[in-house]
Amino acid sequence: MAGASSSWSRALMHISPYTFSAVGIAIAIGVSVLGAACVIFCEAVAIYGVIVAIILQTKLESVPASMMYEPDALRAGYAIFASGIIVGFANLVCGICVGIIGSSCALSDAQNSSLFVKILVIEIFGSALGLFGVIVGIIMSGQITWPTKAA
Amino acid sequence: MSSTFSGDETAPFFGFLGAAAALVFSCMGAAYGTAKSGVGVASMGVMRPELVMKSIVPVVMAGVLGIYGLIIAVIISTGINPKAKSYYLFDGYAHLSSGLACGLAGLSAGMAIGIVGDAGVRATDQCGLPQIFSKSSNLSPTG
């Protein structure tokens, strides 16, 4: 059996895939909301986090205990974990970036009102980063296939 | 083990983490570049509003870094398919290292774009010439 190749492999194979899934979903929404706590314009990243967390959570299926450590189940757990990390941290950095730009936008708009729309263009580039995270998270969630009860 | 699966069971962990690293670190670099250049553009725009649209170049280049990370992350995550093609630890480690390579290169490129872009737009304000940017665009990151 391949698990005997290293102690890391043996340790990983004994952690339930539901652990990885739960931590992944928690990171997706928790870290996204942390990113949304920045000053201005960044509530969209929290919404992205909520959407992906809901999508990941609907992909969780109940697997009988005898099949929990099947390779398919392990792979599904890892995929949810990685998807959650991607979405969470991409939204976090997007939120920080958009917050910094938003505060400088507010300051420069106070000086010169014609600047507001122009700096908003930069904001759009910043928001696209959160969108990249959501796209990859959703593509990766297509890999989540739990073993069916047959066999 | 199901009969259609071949390869090591824990290898997808490293593969998916590689995809995650590619996107997350590239986005960190893109965010830093966008934020630092954006603050410079906003500061410069107070004095010279007509130069703002020309000074968006570093922001666009920082955004492209995020797209690089997206492409690599999608290629890696669609390449992990143990049913169609056996996925050993070798493949998992290869995906992890390629994701880290792309991601950390994007992070460093983004930091460079941020520092240069910020300095460049503030110099444009001082000199008032777009020539500063045609010279510093040669610093665009390749990879």
Side-chain angles (χ1 to χ4, degrees), chain A:
Chain A
M1 188 144 147
S5 58
S6 80
S7 58
W8 279 106
S9 300
R10 269 176 286 178
L12 276 177
M13 280 172 65
H14 280 93
I15 301 177
S16 159
Y18 291 118
T19 306
F20 278 114
S21 311
V23 171
I25 294 174
I27 288 178
I29 186 153
V31 179
S32 299
V33 172
L34 193 64
C38 293
V39 176
I40 189 173
F41 286 138
C42 37
E43 65 277 358
V45 299
I47 295 177
Y48 294 154
V50 170
I51 288 173
V52 176
I54 289 177
I55 289 177
L56 290 178
Q57 178 238 342
T58 57
K59 295 241 174 204
L60 277 177
E61 284 170 20
S62 160
V63 168
S66 62
M67 297 176 71
M68 194 184 295
Y69 294 99
E70 290 282 312
D72 274 346
L74 290 176
R75 183 173 72 112
Y78 302 148
I80 296 182
F81 178 64
S83 182
I85 283 185
I86 285 178
V87 169
F89 285 98
N91 285 339
L92 173 70
V93 300
C94 169
I96 293 176
C97 165
V98 169
I100 292 175
I101 296 180
S103 74
S104 70
C105 172
L107 288 172
S108 65
D109 176 55
Q111 306 269 343
N112 188 343
S113 303
S114 68
L115 281 181
F116 185 68
V117 177
K118 295 178 186 172
I119 308 289
L120 225 53
V121 171
I122 301 179
E123 291 261 350
I124 293 172
F125 281 102
S127 306
L129 299 176
L131 211 56
F132 294 158
V134 171
I135 289 172
V136 177
I138 291 182
I139 287 178
M140 198 177 273
S141 73
Q143 294 267 348
I144 300 170
T145 49
W146 297 91
T148 54
K149 296 194 166 73

Side-chain angles (χ1 to χ4, degrees), chain A residues 132 135-137 139-140 143, chain B residues 19 22-23 68-80:
Chain A
F132 294 158
I135 289 172
V136 177
I139 287 178
M140 198 177 273
Q143 294 267 348
Chain B
L23 187 80
Y68 293 159
L70 171 85
I71 292 172
I72 297 289
V74 169
I75 288 176
I76 289 176
S77 76
T78 54
I80 301 176

Side-chain angles (χ1 to χ4, degrees), chain B residues 69-127:
Chain B
L70 171 85
I71 292 172
I72 297 289
V74 169
I75 288 176
I76 289 176
S77 76
T78 54
I80 301 176
N81 196 352
K83 291 209 170 106
K85 178 175 173 301
S86 51
Y87 194 76
Y88 293 100
L89 273 177
F90 173 78
D91 306 301
Y93 293 148
H95 279 156
L96 174 68
S97 57
S98 69
L100 278 174
C102 170
L104 293 175
L107 175 65
S108 42
M111 296 178 82
I113 291 178
I115 296 173
V116 169
D118 189 35
V121 290
R122 291 180 198 265
T124 314
D125 175 24
Q126 304 275 329
C127 306

